């Protein structure tokens, strides 16, 4: 392996280069609509029922892109069922005789396309819809699906979290379509709004800001939320329960709202009060927080089987198990940072495919560890510096590549192994050692600016790193991300890699974006 000579360009020049990247266009743009006159072309074909994801090839549907979702949920506390309507505005990319949505475990009652009744069938995890007439290419179309759902239904995988007084949702990576019919892939981000009708005494909360509260007959209340920024389906949060909403102010007037079990609000306050300082620390490194609000949702369930993680980065409202947040700051602070980082890497900039997950998790662990060590908090290995932790991780490199594959080449089984977390941190650490701290900080901001409200690939990150650092780091990063052997660490020629033992298996986390016992030794 050959490394280029380290470039130490002045920080001002690097920041200027980063600023120039902000003018790049967003991938959230959709094709311009065309008319649907009788003269419009009527021939077409069924849309392809995949977006070709390398990890989850069955996810997503081609032939259209979604520009917005409106989810109208009515929760019945007696039956514990949700009566729902999902209204999607799509833009076709080809003439369609049939389209499909991802859907599993939903009891579909009716479908309308462009205001007309459509026929439909549910096959495996697809809802196949045949409109009354062929949809022209590049046309705006509204798809409305009426259905009901049982959050307690036993499915092969589910995004529902059943709680004693309602539910929450945790859809990452591939379970949003168990909650609402959708194009369930992070490359197809869309605008979202929500209307949640619940019995009075319960609270309905969703991603984004509350824009309307209605008192209805039958002792029911409807809450309407709207997300200001586009969102991937896996990041949606909808929760119903006996919650109180606690408002506070973050840096620069950022509204912070926490959704807290009423009975535990006082006990959870010490953890919730940490958020403004955590946001301020991260903004100094990555720039202004990218969304309209932030806060925590200590989900109203202590059932260890309710969900198999401690925290998940649902957009603008990170969900946690409440007992985790009852610990002292040094036990939770670095993980709270990890989840906040996902607002930038993972939420604002989403993975273009699930093979790009290392960008989310590597960055979340990277800044979570920096935050930990800056405060002198030892990790679970007893280490107190990033250098010591990376030396330990480096020694495991070949073993993890043997057991879990390269950092940027996961499969559905090992997607959330440590290789995507600490393995990703090691890549970022190596890159920072190579290009210097000023260049690294500038390229991080440039990447976030260029792909804000969009999705990005590993190759996109490599391209920005080369452009902003002023040197071609493509070969260097590809070796680190796709190689079967751990490359030499810049600045540490004495570091060694432990030989592979075929009987060992790399530590495994339960699900992504969450606190887990191996890498979050954070």
């Amino acid at each position: 392996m050959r490394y280029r000579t380290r470039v130490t360009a002045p920080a001002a020049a690097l920041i200027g280069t980063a600023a120039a990247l902000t003018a790049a266009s967003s991938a959230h743009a959709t094709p311009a609509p065309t008319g649907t006159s009788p003269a419009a072309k009527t021939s077409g074909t069924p849309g392809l029922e995949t977006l070709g994801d390398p990890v989850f090839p069955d996810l997503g549907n081609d032939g259209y892109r979604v520009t917005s979702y409106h989810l109208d949920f009515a929760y019945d506390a007696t039956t514990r069922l949700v009566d729902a309507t999902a209204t999607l505005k799509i833009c076709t990319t080809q003439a369609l005789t049939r389209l499909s949505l991802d859907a599993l475990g939903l009891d579909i009652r009716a479908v309308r396309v462009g205001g007309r009744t459509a026929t439909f069938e549910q096959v495996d995890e697809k809802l196949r819809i045949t409109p009354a007439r062929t949809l022209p290419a590049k046309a705006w179309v509204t798809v409305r699906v009426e259905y009901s759902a049982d959050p307690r239904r036993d499915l092969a995988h589910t995004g529902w979290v059943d709680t004693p007084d309602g539910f929450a949702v945790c859809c990452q990576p591939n379970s949003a379509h168990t909650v609402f019919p959708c194009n369930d892939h992070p490359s197809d981000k869309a605008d979202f709004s929500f209307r949640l009708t619940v019995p009075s005494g319960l609270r309905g909360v969703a991603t984004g800001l509350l824009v309307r509260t209605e008192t209805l007959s039958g002792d029911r209340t409807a809450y309407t939320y709207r997300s200001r920024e586009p969102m991937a389906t896996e990041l949606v949060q909808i929760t119903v329960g006996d919650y109180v909403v606690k408002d506070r102010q973050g840096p620069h007037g950022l509204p912070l709202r926490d959704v807290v079990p009423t009975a535990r609000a006082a006990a959870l306050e010490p953890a919730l009060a940490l958020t403004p300082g955590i946001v301020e620390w991260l903004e100094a490194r990555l720039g202004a927080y990218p969304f309209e609000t932030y806060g925590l949702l200590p989900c109203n369930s202590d059932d260890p089987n309710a969900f198999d993680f401690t925290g998940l980065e649902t957009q603008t409202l990170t969900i946690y198990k409440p007992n985790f947040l009852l610990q002292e700051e040094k036990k939770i602070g670095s993980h709270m940072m990890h989840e906040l980082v996902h607002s930038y890497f993972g939420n604002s900039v989403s993975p273009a495919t699930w093979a790009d997950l290392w960008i989310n998790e590597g960055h979340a662990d990277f800044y979570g560890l920096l935050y930990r060590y800056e405060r002198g908090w030892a990790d679970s290995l007893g280490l107190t510096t990033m250098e010591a932790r990376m030396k330990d991780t480096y020694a495991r490199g070949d073993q993890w590549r043997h057991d879990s594959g390269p950092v940027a080449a996961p499969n559905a089984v090992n997607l959330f192994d440590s290789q995507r977390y600490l393995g990703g941190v090691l890549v970022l650490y190596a890159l920072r050692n190579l290009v210097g701290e000023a260049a690294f900080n500038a390229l991080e901001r440039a990447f976030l600016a260029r792909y804000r409200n969009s999705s990005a690939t590993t190759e996109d990150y490599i391209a920005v790193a080369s452009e902003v650092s002023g040197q071609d780091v493509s070969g260097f990063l590809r070796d680190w991300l796709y190689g079967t052997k751990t490359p030499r660490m810049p600045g540490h020629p004495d570091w060694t890699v432990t030989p592979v033992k075929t009987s060992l298996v790399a530590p495994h986390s339960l699900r992504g974006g969450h606190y887990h016992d191996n890498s979050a030794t954070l």
Side-chain angles (χ1 to χ4, degrees), residues 54 68 220 277 309 341 396:
S68 68
R220 293 174 70 79
F309 54 86
V341 172
R396 305 168 191 261

Side-chain angles (χ1 to χ4, degrees), residues 315-518:
Q315 192 159 306
T316 74
L317 191 62
T318 296
I319 184 171
Y320 282 98
K321 286 187 175 179
N323 283 342
F324 173 75
L325 294 175
L326 295 176
Q327 301 176 91
E328 57 184 327
E329 181 182 1
K330 68 180 182 180
K331 297 288 188 181
I332 63 175
S334 60
H335 180 63
M336 291 177 68
M337 180 60 69
H338 173 111
E339 298 299 351
L340 177 62
V341 172
H342 279 312
S343 295
Y344 297 77
F345 292 98
N347 296 12
S348 178
V349 181
S350 296
T353 76
W354 284 106
D356 303 304
L357 181 75
W358 78 271
I359 300 176
N360 305 16
E361 303 303 346
H363 278 96
D365 265 11
F366 181 84
Y367 290 99
L369 287 169
L370 288 179
Y371 188 73
R372 169 181 287 282
Y373 299 137
E374 185 178 291
R375 277 148 185 74
W377 299 335
D379 58 34
S380 66
L381 302 180
L383 305 174
T384 57
T385 68
M386 179 67 91
E387 182 174 322
R389 186 57 182 277
M390 290 299 96
K391 184 177 182 180
D392 178 86
T393 303
Y394 184 81
R396 305 168 191 261
D398 282 1
Q399 187 70 57
W400 287 1
R401 289 170 190 267
H402 173 272
D403 294 334
S404 295
V407 174
N411 58 42
V413 174
N414 63 32
L415 179 61
F416 297 116
D417 279 3
S418 289
Q419 185 71 305
R420 261 45 76 186
Y421 291 73
L422 279 174
V425 177
L426 194 66
V427 173
L428 298 174
Y429 181 81
L431 177 61
R432 188 178 67 169
N433 281 0
L434 179 72
V435 303
E437 188 169 354
F440 179 79
N441 293 341
L443 72 88
E444 291 279 273
R445 288 191 178 223
F447 176 75
L448 292 170
R450 173 172 284 189
Y451 294 103
R452 179 171 179 169
N453 294 334
S454 183
S455 302
T457 66
T458 296
E459 287 301 313
D460 292 329
Y461 184 82
I462 292 171
V464 171
S466 293
E467 183 175 346
V468 178
S469 69
Q471 58 181 296
D472 182 1
V473 297
S474 57
F476 174 85
L477 282 174
R478 289 188 188 113
D479 283 342
W480 274 94
L481 290 164
Y482 297 106
T484 57
K485 294 293 182 181
T486 306
R488 297 295 297 273
M489 176 60 71
H492 295 286
D494 58 314
W495 285 12
T496 59
V497 180
T498 302
V500 170
K501 294 183 179 180
T502 57
S503 61
L504 296 180
V505 177
H508 186 275
S509 61
L510 293 172
R511 287 173 61 178
H514 330 306
Y515 184 88
H516 45 287
D517 291 338
N518 52 67

Side-chain angles (χ1 to χ4, degrees), residues 267-278:
L268 288 162
E269 178 58 25
L272 306 178
L274 298 174
T275 299
I278 290 173

Side-chain angles (χ1 to χ4, degrees), residues 54-323:
V55 179
F56 297 110
D58 293 334
L59 281 184
N61 305 265
D62 210 357
Y64 66 89
R65 295 296 179 266
V66 183
T67 60
S68 68
Y69 293 86
H70 177 69
L71 304 181
D72 193 334
F73 279 23
Y75 177 68
D76 187 320
T78 301
T79 65
R80 307 292 298 276
L81 300 179
V82 175
D83 188 67
T85 300
T87 304
L88 291 69
K89 187 173 183 180
I90 69 173
C91 188
T92 61
T93 58
Q94 65 177 77
L96 290 172
T97 58
R98 190 182 75 196
L99 66 152
S100 65
L101 301 173
D102 296 313
L104 173 66
L106 306 177
D107 296 319
I108 310 296
R109 295 194 301 271
V111 178
R112 297 179 69 83
V113 178
R116 297 187 176 195
T117 300
T119 59
F120 65 90
E121 62 175 340
Q122 293 179 263
V123 180
D124 297 325
E125 298 191 22
K126 298 294 182 182
L127 171 62
R128 291 177 179 162
I129 301 169
T130 302
R133 60 183 180 182
T134 297
L135 304 179
K138 298 183 180 179
W140 297 111
V141 182
T142 298
V143 179
R144 178 184 172 93
V145 182
E146 298 177 15
Y147 66 100
S148 61
D150 183 349
R152 300 162 298 173
R153 178 171 291 178
D154 185 19
L155 299 171
H157 60 95
T158 184
W160 296 99
V161 176
D162 183 41
T163 65
D165 52 2
F167 65 86
V169 300
C170 297
C171 298
Q172 191 187 69
N174 62 334
S175 294
H177 62 279
T178 69
V179 178
F180 58 100
C182 57
N183 203 23
D184 198 2
H185 195 268
S187 65
D188 194 15
K189 300 175 76 165
D191 297 324
F192 275 82
S193 59
F194 311 83
R195 186 173 186 264
L196 311 176
T197 302
V198 301
S200 297
L202 298 182
R203 189 72 177 250
V205 182
T207 299
L209 290 175
L210 179 66
V211 296
R212 184 182 305 112
T213 302
E214 306 165 75
T215 301
L216 308 176
S217 60
D219 199 26
R220 293 174 70 79
T221 304
Y223 300 91
T224 299
Y225 290 81
R226 180 170 290 110
S227 180
R228 187 186 66 189
E229 310 292 351
M231 178 166 52
T233 52
E234 53 113 354
L235 300 174
V236 163
Q237 181 54 256
I238 306 168
T239 188
V240 171
D242 182 11
Y243 292 112
V244 59
V245 177
K246 304 185 71 172
D247 297 309
R248 70 189 81 228
Q249 192 172 89
H252 318 297
L254 173 69
L256 301 176
R257 56 91 189 254
D258 299 308
V259 180
V260 191
T262 302
R264 309 182 75 172
L268 288 162
E269 178 58 25
L272 306 178
L274 298 174
T275 299
I278 290 173
V279 173
E280 184 175 18
W281 186 93
L282 192 57
E283 285 192 331
R285 287 150 181 84
L286 296 180
Y289 175 77
F291 298 115
E292 63 270 39
T293 185
Y294 184 65
L296 309 187
L297 166 63
C299 184
N300 197 14
S301 177
D302 292 317
D303 181 356
N305 299 314
F307 44 102
D308 57 5
F309 54 86
T310 296
L312 176 67
E313 68 275 14
T314 46
Q315 192 159 306
T316 74
L317 191 62
T318 296
I319 184 171
Y320 282 98
K321 286 187 175 179
N323 283 342

